[in-house]
């Protein structure tokens, strides 16, 4: 399949106007082929970040005073726009980010669904009312916007993650300065275009695209009143510390080293399918991806046989080709570091259980299943400890449920976990004992519905959870009103 060669243009969106960036040239290249320029333009400079804040600050009082039902109407129109253009934008997502066409188009539809979910806030409860111990009084808790928010997003869900931060920010009455990962700027432009097509007032949503250093300009701006971030634990913790020093809230969704646990009584056909999806869809580049697999010894051989024969039927290649199940990783730097990471894990004692075929050139990483030694050295192996953000699955064999739970908990991270068992008591015990933000019983570790909380425990998350009713906790602050006539 041939790739389109038209180069799209990258621009900044400041106070309702599209402008070229003031800084150096910025090219967005295709994940599958770094020589292909998908979109080109100029990066924003620090002065344009200041302009974005000035616009967001000027718009904030008017936007906060706009009835929520009216704010919702912009989200609904932007949602309809994304649905209408899902195929085109999803194809661009695939060209830019490298996930398969089905995943790319699916992600655009998901972003549309997120926007319409948050539009529904206008029809949900606005706050809480309490009994007063005093006659003639009511106590109300009302939710108010934080003000001007920074939104900093990663490459791996170029439209869904921005949508799930921008939608609650806007519906709850905040204005936004949005900085996407510089690897996927085109999809950020497309999301902002959806809001522009919806008629969003100038200054409510501002886009600055450019290098990570723009994040420092955002974090340092005096108008910033809160920041939502998804990305690495290292960067997230730095932003949290900066926010704490300034006294503003920061929500950070960070790394993972998620386990799938397959117990002796599991449905192995189901489990092998779900582990395949969790570990290898989107080339393993999800913070919710399965990167550790804990197998009960009694079923380990049979399970690995099922998993690797499924994997052998997967085709890795050009993600625009509908016959392909897995595309590249995001760029050449990432592909190199994953290959080096696998080599290091092998030098530390990991064995290769399976390595898939990949095209000879491009940023492809073979889907890889590594065996982790069952002794104490295995637990020190970098493939057991470190997030590769890649299609690499590290397998540990254990004996029995207790040992499996212990191994699952042996991580600094705690985002998601997938447990495969037919025993309800075991599932309940996992829910009670394992420190994770998301527990899947008999389904893959990835995936997040818009109406339920999303976020991690331990080093995976900081601040209130995202999505669903949880989103209001971060995107608003409350005023408790003691009300007497
Ligand atoms: C999903 O599992 O579908 O960065 C969403 C990430 C997560 C989103 C995962 N914040 O991968």
């Amino acid at each position: 399949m041939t790739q389109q060669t038209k180069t799209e243009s990258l621009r900044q969106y400041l106070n309702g106007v599209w402008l070229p960036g003031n800084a150096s040239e910025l090219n967005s290249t295709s994940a599958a082929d770094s020589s292909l320029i998908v979109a080109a333009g100029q990066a924003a400079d620090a002065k344009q970040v200041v302009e974005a804040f000035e616009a967001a600050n000027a718009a904030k009082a008017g936007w906060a005073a706009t009835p929520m039902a009216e704010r919702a109407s912009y989200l609904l129109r932007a949602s309809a726009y994304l649905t209408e253009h899902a195929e085109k934008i999803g194809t661009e997502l695939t060209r830019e980010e490298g996930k398969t066409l089905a995943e790319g188009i699916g992600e655009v539809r998901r972003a549309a669904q997120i926007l319409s979910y948050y539009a529904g806030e206008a029809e949900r409860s606005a706050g809480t009312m309490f009994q007063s111990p005093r006659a003639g009084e009511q106590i109300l808790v009302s939710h108010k916007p934080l003000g001007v928010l920074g939104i900093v997003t990663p490459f791996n869900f170029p439209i869904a993650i921005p949508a799930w931060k921008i939608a609650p920010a806007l519906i709850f009455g905040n204005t936004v300065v949005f900085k996407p990962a510089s690897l996927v700027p085109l999809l950020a432009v497309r999301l902002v275009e959806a809001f522009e097509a919806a008629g969003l007032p100038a200054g409510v949503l501002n886009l600055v695209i450019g290098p990570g250093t723009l994040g420092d300009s955002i974090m340092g701006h005096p108008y910033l009143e809160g920041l939502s971030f998804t990305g690495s634990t290292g960067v997230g913790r730095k932003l949290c510390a900066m926010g704490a020093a300034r006294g503003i809230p920061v929500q950070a969704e960070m790394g993972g080293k998620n386990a799938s646990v397959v117990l002796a009584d599991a449905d192995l056909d189901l489990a092998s399918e779900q582990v395949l999806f969790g570990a290898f869809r989107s080339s393993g580049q999800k913070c919710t991806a399965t990167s550790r697999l804990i197998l009960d010894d009694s079923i380990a051989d049979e399970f690995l046989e099922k998993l690797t024969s499924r994997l052998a039927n997967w085709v890795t290649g050009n993600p625009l080709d509908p016959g392909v199940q897995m595309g590249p990783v995001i760029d050449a730097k990432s592909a190199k570091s994953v290959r080096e990471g696998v080599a290091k894990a092998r030098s530390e004692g990991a064995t290769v259980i399976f390595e898939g075929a990949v095209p000879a050139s491009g940023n492809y990483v073979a889907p890889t299943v590594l065996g982790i030694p069952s002794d104490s050295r295995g637990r020190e192996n970098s493939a057991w400890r470190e997030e590769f953000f890649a299609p690499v699955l590290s397998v540990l064999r254990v004996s029995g449920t207790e040992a499996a739970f212990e191994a699952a908990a042996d991580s600094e991270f705690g985002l998601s976990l997938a447990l495969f068992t037919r025993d309800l008591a075991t599932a309940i015990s996992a829910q009670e004992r394992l420190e994770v933000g998301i527990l899947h019983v008999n389904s893959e570790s990835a995936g997040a519905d818009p109406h339920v909380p999303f976020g991690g425990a331990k080093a995976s998350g900081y601040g209130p959870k995202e999505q669903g009713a949880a989103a209001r906790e971060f995107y608003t602050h409350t005023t408790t009103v003691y009300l007497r006539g």
Side-chain angles (χ1 to χ4, degrees):
M1 180 152 188
T2 55
Q3 299 213 355
Q4 297 163 31
T5 49
K6 182 167 176 270
T7 302
E8 302 294 328
S9 104
L10 296 176
R11 296 147 300 153
Q12 318 297 326
Y13 192 64
L14 302 172
N15 203 21
V17 181
W18 290 102
L19 294 165
N22 286 338
S24 54
E25 197 178 311
L26 176 79
N27 285 337
S28 170
T29 56
S30 169
D33 175 1
S34 305
S35 67
L36 192 83
I37 296 174
V38 175
Q42 250 95 37
D45 66 0
K47 198 172 136 271
Q48 289 177 307
V49 173
V50 173
E51 284 168 28
F53 273 99
E54 279 164 358
N57 192 55
K60 100 177 169 178
W63 184 244
T66 302
M68 200 185 258
E70 201 178 319
R71 296 199 294 254
S73 72
Y74 298 104
L75 268 62
L76 285 176
R77 285 194 293 277
S79 170
Y81 177 97
L82 291 180
T83 302
E84 190 189 336
H85 297 94
E87 295 234 345
K88 175 189 166 274
I89 299 174
T91 306
E92 290 177 336
L93 194 164
T94 292
R95 292 179 71 212
E96 190 173 56
E97 197 270 351
K99 63 182 67 175
T100 64
L101 207 46
E103 290 171 312
I105 296 169
E107 189 183 325
V108 178
R109 297 211 167 102
R110 178 176 179 177
Q113 187 198 2
I114 289 166
L115 297 187
S116 56
Y117 167 77
Y118 281 104
E121 274 311 315
E123 292 155 10
R124 298 186 194 114
S125 139
T128 332
M129 184 172 159
F130 289 85
Q131 300 286 351
S132 170
R134 291 161 293 275
E137 184 179 79
Q138 296 175 348
I139 307 176
L140 313 178
V141 177
S142 68
H143 288 259
K144 300 197 293 201
L146 295 173
V148 177
L149 298 185
I151 286 181
V152 177
T153 56
F155 76 81
N156 64 328
F157 283 92
I159 195 160
I161 291 179
W164 90 29
K165 294 180 188 296
I166 289 170
L170 297 184
I171 195 69
F172 291 117
N174 304 282
T175 58
V176 169
V177 175
F178 166 36
K179 192 205 103 52
S182 56
L183 293 162
V184 289
L186 178 59
L187 263 287
V189 168
R190 294 295 181 248
L191 179 60
V192 173
E193 283 172 348
F195 282 105
E196 183 194 28
L200 193 74
V204 171
L205 172 62
N206 303 277
L207 170 68
V208 284
I209 54 184
T213 50
L214 290 183
D216 296 333
S217 306
I218 290 174
M219 203 63 220
H221 197 282
Y223 289 158
L224 183 74
E225 290 169 297
L227 183 97
S228 182
F229 166 83
T230 296
S232 70
T233 300
V235 174
R237 290 210 161 150
K238 192 184 102 184
L239 294 171
C240 293
M242 290 166 88
R246 286 193 46 181
I248 58 172
V250 175
Q251 173 185 57
E253 164 60 42
M254 302 178 281
K257 190 75 194 175
N258 312 299
S260 282
V261 175
V262 184
L263 296 179
D265 69 338
D267 175 337
L268 299 188
D269 286 322
L270 169 85
S272 60
E273 177 202 59
Q274 294 294 308
V275 169
L276 175 83
F277 292 163
F280 299 106
R281 274 188 173 163
S282 294
S283 307
Q285 299 174 114
K286 299 182 187 180
C287 61
T288 47
T290 293
S291 58
R292 296 185 297 146
L293 173 61
I294 297 160
L295 296 178
D296 190 277
D297 248 336
S298 63
I299 49 86
D301 288 336
E302 190 186 349
F303 181 87
L304 286 173
E305 168 59 33
K306 286 181 189 290
L307 178 68
T308 54
S309 47
R310 284 183 192 275
L311 204 44
N313 288 325
W314 265 39
V315 179
T316 301
N318 184 341
L320 288 168
D321 180 343
V324 154
Q325 279 82 33
M326 199 179 92
V329 294
I330 185 67
D331 62 4
K333 189 170 146 235
S334 170
K336 180 166 175 279
S337 97
V338 179
R339 291 188 199 109
E340 287 170 1
V342 169
K344 179 165 178 264
R346 292 180 66 178
S347 75
E348 292 165 355
T351 56
V352 176
I353 297 173
F354 180 90
E355 198 170 47
V358 282
S361 68
N363 306 322
Y364 295 97
V365 170
T368 305
V369 181
L370 295 176
I372 297 292
S374 291
D375 57 22
S376 59
R377 264 185 69 221
R379 299 297 186 90
E380 299 311 316
N381 195 294
S382 43
W384 178 256
R385 296 250 151 245
E386 291 163 25
E387 185 178 37
F388 284 0
F389 222 58
V392 179
L393 179 64
S394 303
V395 184
L396 184 75
R397 292 171 181 242
V398 296
S399 179
T401 304
E402 274 309 308
F405 280 16
E406 182 280 319
D410 178 31
S411 171
E412 63 172 310
F413 298 110
L415 182 53
S416 69
L417 185 136
L419 174 69
F420 294 90
T421 179
R422 287 185 166 103
D423 185 53
L424 186 56
T426 305
I428 291 171
S429 157
Q431 181 247 316
E432 285 170 352
R433 291 171 46 191
L434 295 172
E435 281 299 306
V436 288
I438 297 149
L439 174 66
H440 287 265
V441 179
N442 296 316
S443 61
E444 62 158 307
S445 63
D449 286 329
H451 63 300
V452 293
F454 178 87
K458 294 155 77 177
S460 295
Y462 183 89
K465 298 273 161 69
E466 305 195 83
Q467 306 238 75
R472 189 164 74 179
E473 253 183 78
F474 177 72
Y475 288 97
T476 65
H477 69 93
T478 57
T479 299
T480 305
V481 185
Y482 293 84
L483 183 67
R484 292 191 207 176

